[in-house]
Amino acid sequence: MPTRRASRGVGEAVAALIGLSVVVLVALFALISLPPHAPIKPATERLVAYPSERLVVYPSPTSSNVWCADNVGSTVVRVEYLKVLAPDFRELVLRASRNGICSVSSGPVVEPGSTLCVMCSEGYTVVSLITSSGRVFSVDPSIYVLRQTAIGVPMEPLLVGVYSTASLLQFISDPGTLVEGSVQTYTTLTQYLNISNVDVSSSLRASLVIVGVNPASGRLNLLIAGKALSGDSITVAGSAINLGAVAGVRYRLKIEDFDGTVMVGGVNAAPGVYPCYVNSGTQCLVSLSGVAARLTLYVANTSSPGSLGLDPYTFVGDLDGNGAAETLLVTQDFGVGDKSTVNDRESDKLYLDQTLKPLRLIFTQKPVNSSKYATAVLSIKMFYWDSSLDDIEDNDNRVVMRVGLYDPDTESFVYSVYLSYYELCRYRGVRPFSVSYIAKDFILYVPLEGQGKVYYVAIELYDPFLAEGGRNDAEVLIGLEYVGIVLGVRP
């Protein structure tokens, strides 16, 4: 029995050896039979260029949408792909040679010692360049931070395209607030004229004159307030109106896109605020002649309390000549006062006004999506003035401006911050009249509610004072010149 088993083992070994020999012979035959024009390419050929490639990628110091790459290596580099960040923060990988977003200067190949630049559409940011050998070269974060520090944080302006009351309507949440029920007053005004594209001339006394430039046309916007005296008149479309007969207690005259001459106190009027009665205690003579795109006249011939819209209290125009129009809420008419006197009065007449509804501006052109954004940083340039000589002794600390995120579905704020009287009264001189432009920044936190809930930035301007004896009777001028926003994404 052992002899048979040994013979069987020897036979199996011999058979295995023969089978292995056949496999080797077949493999050698296949190798020898390869055609001479198809040699095996060594794997090391691509590896030779790999360590020699070196690109330094950086944002262009002269253009915000250009990125460049210096070839500081020892071999030619071909850029095959671009990794970019879209405006909505999606990461995209694009072919360098053809795409509709970024273009590569001088083709995708860059020689040693040369520079390649990539120009992308506005809002797209180059993150990395990917070469034909598979290497990835990214923008140095420290260089990018230095560049951003140098150029600052880009803000998107919100208060744009405002040149007149009509253009302001794009931001006013409820246009009806311009017409009725928004201002409570001791001396009610009624609309006497509302006419467009008309010749106008006048000679009248005024307590307050505001002259601004319409940046779109270069013409003037005017707000004139006062009390008409005997001999004061205005001629509109060839018809003369005796203002002393219809506005002997009070008037407000708005003229927009005016092409003509304006004189205040016998001098050609430059853009600005002319606080005639505040500074001198008397009215000044205003003369004008020209053509107006819009003219509205509000008058009062008796002293009776009531309410009206915001239109006669709203002004739009560039006051300081920098090309940006200010949007004003103006409740001041005549004089100033302290804690023992009523502020806005003339003789025995009171001209006190208070907003029942604020001048609310909603910037719907910039939706704030709660799923994408966690914060909104708002920057505002503004000025403020009020008629109180005693400041905090004369008035309580009430809200004058409100800034926040507005829910269009509930028509309410979901997050807001305030500027109050005690904060703002520091930035003006009452008499003589003086104001200073101030910049205020606000951080608004976006509530995370639901999926993709949309909010809008909104601003409200108030005159929160009417009268409580001799206190809480301030009248105001509030001017907005710039509103800008930067949104912070959710992590």
Side-chain angles (χ1 to χ4, degrees):
M1 183 67 68
T3 303
R4 291 181 179 178
R5 290 177 178 174
S7 299
R8 185 184 301 172
V10 172
E12 292 175 352
V14 172
L17 180 60
I18 294 172
L20 179 61
S21 299
V22 172
V23 172
V24 171
L25 288 172
V26 171
L28 287 173
F29 177 78
L31 184 60
I32 294 171
S33 300
L34 286 174
H37 59 274
I40 298 175
K41 189 174 183 178
T44 57
E45 185 173 297
R46 292 179 64 196
L47 297 179
V48 171
Y50 191 90
S52 303
E53 291 182 349
R54 189 180 177 193
L55 298 179
V56 177
V57 186
Y58 56 93
S60 169
T62 59
S63 181
S64 61
N65 62 335
V66 175
W67 285 259
C68 296
D70 294 341
N71 186 350
V72 297
S74 59
T75 187
V76 174
V77 176
R78 180 182 180 86
V79 177
E80 290 285 355
Y81 297 98
L82 311 173
K83 184 177 181 181
V84 302
L85 193 65
D88 58 0
F89 300 101
R90 291 179 297 116
E91 290 186 344
L92 307 176
V93 177
L94 310 173
R95 285 190 174 274
S97 57
R98 57 183 184 277
N99 66 80
I101 297 174
C102 301
S103 61
V104 180
S105 65
S106 305
V109 176
V110 55
E111 301 281 344
S114 299
T115 299
L116 171 148
C117 289
V118 180
M119 177 180 290
C120 294
S121 300
E122 190 69 29
Y124 288 86
T125 302
V126 172
V127 176
S128 304
L129 305 183
I130 304 172
T131 71
S132 58
S133 65
R135 292 202 67 179
V136 179
F137 295 94
S138 300
V139 177
D140 187 334
S142 62
I143 296 177
Y144 187 79
V145 169
L146 287 173
R147 174 179 182 262
Q148 288 301 110
T149 303
I151 66 175
V153 178
M155 300 203 78
E156 181 175 345
L158 297 179
L159 188 61
V160 294
V162 177
Y163 312 117
S164 64
T165 306
S167 59
L168 187 64
L169 285 172
Q170 64 182 304
F171 300 120
I172 293 181
S173 59
D174 179 10
T177 58
L178 293 177
V179 180
E180 60 182 1
S182 299
V183 178
Q184 181 180 0
T185 179
Y186 270 66
T187 305
T188 306
L189 291 161
T190 58
Q191 190 178 87
Y192 189 85
L193 288 175
N194 184 4
I195 190 168
S196 300
N197 300 318
V198 63
D199 294 331
V200 57
S201 61
S202 72
S203 176
L204 69 165
R205 260 63 65 91
S207 58
L208 176 68
V209 182
I210 302 177
V211 181
V213 176
N214 179 334
S217 65
R219 298 175 180 174
L220 298 178
N221 293 340
L222 309 171
L223 175 61
I224 305 172
K227 170 184 175 181
L229 303 179
S230 176
D232 288 354
S233 66
I234 182 171
T235 300
V236 179
S239 299
I241 300 170
N242 181 359
L243 283 180
V246 298
V249 173
R250 183 186 189 189
Y251 74 86
R252 285 197 172 214
L253 174 63
K254 286 182 68 173
I255 301 176
E256 294 184 308
D257 210 25
F258 175 76
D259 186 11
T261 59
V262 181
M263 301 187 73
V264 179
V267 179
N268 286 326
V273 178
Y274 295 82
C276 304
Y277 201 95
V278 168
N279 286 349
S280 66
T282 60
Q283 298 193 99
C284 50
L285 180 64
V286 178
S287 302
L288 59 88
S289 179
V291 180
R294 179 185 180 230
L295 182 148
T296 52
L297 175 63
Y298 298 85
V299 300
N301 215 25
T302 60
S303 294
S304 58
S307 66
L308 66 158
L310 283 164
D311 182 59
Y313 299 91
T314 304
F315 174 84
V316 175
D318 179 12
L319 300 177
D320 55 2
N322 66 353
E326 285 86 350
T327 298
L328 273 65
L329 173 66
V330 182
T331 57
Q332 174 67 19
D333 288 273
F334 285 91
V336 300
D338 54 31
K339 62 185 177 182
S340 61
T341 61
V342 176
N343 287 10
D344 201 1
R345 66 184 300 160
E346 195 274 336
S347 185
D348 60 341
K349 301 291 191 302
L350 303 183
Y351 299 94
L352 299 169
D353 308 284
Q354 178 188 34
T355 50
L356 300 173
K357 298 177 183 178
L359 178 60
R360 178 188 293 158
L361 307 179
I362 301 179
F363 303 100
T364 57
Q365 80 272 31
K366 186 64 178 179
V368 181
N369 190 308
S370 63
S371 295
K372 294 182 179 179
Y373 304 111
T375 57
V377 179
L378 209 64
S379 183
I380 294 176
K381 182 182 178 184
M382 60 172 293
F383 70 82
Y384 172 83
W385 181 90
D386 72 83
S387 61
S388 179
L389 294 168
D390 285 344
D391 296 341
I392 63 176
E393 295 182 24
D394 192 16
N395 299 285
D396 295 333
N397 193 28
R398 298 179 181 176
V399 173
V400 176
M401 177 186 292
R402 186 182 190 186
V403 178
L405 293 173
Y406 187 80
D407 185 341
D409 297 328
T410 62
E411 297 184 343
S412 61
F413 284 88
V414 295
Y415 185 91
S416 61
V417 292
Y418 306 91
L419 287 177
S420 65
Y421 175 76
Y422 288 1
E423 164 72 10
L424 291 174
C425 70
R426 301 179 299 161
Y427 301 110
R428 54 79 173 119
V430 178
R431 187 173 60 195
F433 178 98
S434 68
V435 295
S436 298
Y437 283 86
I438 56 176
K440 292 289 183 180
D441 296 321
F442 306 91
I443 298 178
L444 308 178
Y445 294 95
V446 183
L448 183 57
E449 296 180 4
Q451 289 294 322
K453 177 68 177 177
V454 172
Y455 304 109
Y456 301 111
V457 170
I459 297 176
E460 293 181 337
L461 304 181
Y462 297 84
D463 178 345
F465 305 109
L466 188 61
E468 297 171 11
R471 296 190 72 252
N472 291 319
D473 56 354
E475 302 285 70
V476 303
L477 278 80
I478 311 171
L480 292 178
E481 184 180 80
Y482 175 84
V483 180
I485 188 172
V486 171
L487 295 173
V489 298
R490 291 197 180 277

